[in-house]
Amino acid sequence: MSLSQSKKPLLRVLDGETLTPPPFWLMRQAGRYLPEYRALRERAPDFLEFCYTPDLAVEATLQPLRRFDMDAAILFSDILVVPHALGQPVSFEEGIGPVLEAVRDLDDLRRLNSGRPEEVLGPVYETVATLKGTLPDKTALIGFAGAPWTLATYMVEGRGGTDHGHVKNWAYRDAEGFGELIGLLTASVTAHLSRQIESGADVVQLFDSWAGVLAETQFRRWVLEPTAEIVRHLKDKHPEARVIGFPRGAGALYGDYADATGVDVIAIDEAVPAVWAADTLQRGRAVQGNLSNLALVNGGQTLADETHRILGALGGGPFIFNLGHGVLPGTPPENVARLASLIRGWGP
Ligand code: CP3
């Protein structure tokens, strides 16, 4: 690792240092809560084209940094570019969110035209490389992907907002066939993250947004095992690779996730008690999170109190301040500015 890289505050924390105040960034820090994002978004015919147009994606990535100077930029893209690159029709519809042509069994899976994922995703790697050359030395660049289980939920359900009945049912009914889908996703996610690292990402985050809906046995099989495999392959290929794991909603299984997957950082949702996380998960390893995104929407004294509670519990060890889930579209930008100053002004 070069000297300038090793000085980035976020990377120092990844390697186990405690910084006061801690570095911060926000999941979904780019997006519709920023008027300049809404203006930029109008320049692309649709959301996927936006993700695949490097000029627009670079600009969307940089917008929140200009206002709030976070310690990390996160590549502007989406987790659903991987199913799209595997040949599944994906669209984003106003007021609904992502809509996919559902894959419900092995026949559907085999009908996917896996085409050339490398070609579809090429512009994403170009965006990473451009960002690498543009960001200030102190700012870390985060790449990301959806974890296999969460990608499978969208691929099988066909949209968000369901009870995950189809995908859970397939996993019980035909574990071998469902395992083929998870295997395909494990390989695709590994390749996608590997290319982001080669293009200049300092660290990558695995979003397992729906990890919390599974029974324990299923969690071990579809969340822990594929995640451990991705981390192992990435680190074999790139010994300097750093991985943040975000198994949202994992509850009592957060500890096992931290121990079994090999991730460098555990990202915790808002429901994880901060003091428990410090005692159980932190132990020399970095933790990231866990402010409620609705505390950020509402601001006021509660935002200050919650920010200080989390800093008080986790700020004494390696910690990256973040939300417990992404920034919501209705968030007032001035609340984000206030949060940035609360974090920067914090000291023991
Ligand atoms: O964090 C960032 O700023 C980087 C960009 C990013 C986006 N999506 C941009 C986006 C990241 C890291 C994601 C991750 C993502 N995408 C997840 C995992 C995190 C989570 O929220 O659980 C998931 C599940 C998705 C899938 C997805 N993409 C959904 C469900 C939606 C619709 C919800 C919504 O907010 O509209 C999207 C669309 C999306 N992804 C938008 C953005 C900025 C909004 C699209 C628009 O501009 O209309």
Side-chain angles (χ1 to χ4, degrees), residues 28-30 32 37 41 47 75 77-79 154 209 325:
R28 296 284 294 268
Q29 63 192 20
R32 284 169 301 192
Y37 172 86
R41 173 82 162 77
F47 181 67
L75 163 71
S77 176
D78 197 84
I79 65 168
Y154 286 99
S209 307
H325 199 192

Side-chain angles (χ1 to χ4, degrees), residues 23-315:
F24 87 103
W25 67 280
L26 303 176
M27 291 188 277
R28 296 284 294 268
Q29 63 192 20
R32 284 169 301 192
Y33 76 106
L34 293 176
E36 60 271 35
Y37 172 86
R38 296 195 295 271
L40 189 66
R41 173 82 162 77
E42 280 173 16
R43 287 170 45 191
D46 63 60
F47 181 67
L48 279 175
E49 272 314 307
F50 188 2
C51 293
Y52 296 141
T53 307
D55 285 353
L56 298 180
V58 166
E59 175 59 19
T61 306
L62 298 175
Q63 284 178 340
L65 301 177
R66 291 195 193 105
R67 282 181 183 249
F68 313 115
D69 194 27
M70 286 89 170
D71 294 285
I74 179 161
L75 163 71
F76 188 84
S77 176
D78 197 84
I79 65 168
L80 298 178
V81 298
V82 166
H84 179 245
L86 289 171
Q88 187 172 22
V90 178
S91 62
F92 286 81
E93 289 172 25
E94 197 64 45
I96 302 179
V99 177
L100 300 85
E101 231 168 71
V103 171
R104 293 274 159 86
D105 55 28
L106 262 190
D107 287 341
D108 289 347
L109 180 62
R110 299 219 161 101
R111 245 179 267 124
L112 281 188
N113 153 28
S114 14
R116 296 164 183 255
E118 278 281 304
E119 232 159 74
V120 177
L121 297 172
V124 176
Y125 312 130
E126 205 182 302
T127 301
V128 174
T130 304
L131 286 166
K132 181 68 179 176
T134 309
L135 289 170
D137 277 351
K138 70 178 179 76
T139 309
L141 176 57
I142 301 176
F144 73 92
W149 165 252
T150 287
L151 292 178
T153 66
Y154 286 99
M155 292 179 76
V156 176
E157 297 294 321
R159 59 182 62 203
T162 70
D163 66 357
H164 302 106
H166 292 290
V167 67
K168 287 183 185 178
N169 191 41
W170 183 3
Y172 280 114
R173 185 183 77 238
D174 171 26
E176 207 176 306
F178 185 67
E180 271 192 42
L181 171 59
I182 292 291
L184 171 67
L185 290 169
T186 300
S188 307
V189 166
T190 303
H192 187 45
L193 292 177
S194 187
R195 287 296 312 274
Q196 293 178 53
I197 292 166
E198 286 157 15
S199 305
D202 296 306
V203 46
V204 291
Q205 175 157 329
L206 270 171
F207 285 90
D208 219 340
S209 307
W210 297 109
V213 304
L214 288 171
E216 179 182 354
T217 46
Q218 303 289 294
F219 180 91
R220 293 189 188 285
R221 184 151 185 193
W222 310 122
V223 172
L224 286 193
E225 286 178 21
T227 303
E229 192 176 331
I230 291 167
V231 174
R232 194 168 59 243
H233 285 142
L234 286 177
K235 293 199 174 220
D236 280 350
K237 198 161 176 203
H238 308 285
E240 77 294 355
R242 295 285 180 273
V243 184
I244 306 170
F246 177 44
R248 188 168 72 93
L253 290 164
Y254 255 106
D256 286 5
Y257 182 94
D259 293 336
T261 58
V263 298
D264 300 277
V265 181
I266 310 297
I268 54 174
D269 61 76
E270 69 186 280
V272 177
V275 169
W276 177 86
D279 290 345
T280 312
L281 303 176
Q282 208 170 28
R283 301 176 160 272
R285 170 175 46 209
V287 166
Q288 173 178 288
N290 77 325
L291 181 72
S292 165
N293 54 7
L294 282 162
L296 186 60
V297 168
N298 287 285
Q301 188 57 39
T302 307
L303 174 61
D305 291 346
E306 286 296 275
T307 301
H308 287 140
R309 175 180 69 81
I310 292 164
L311 286 165
L314 285 156

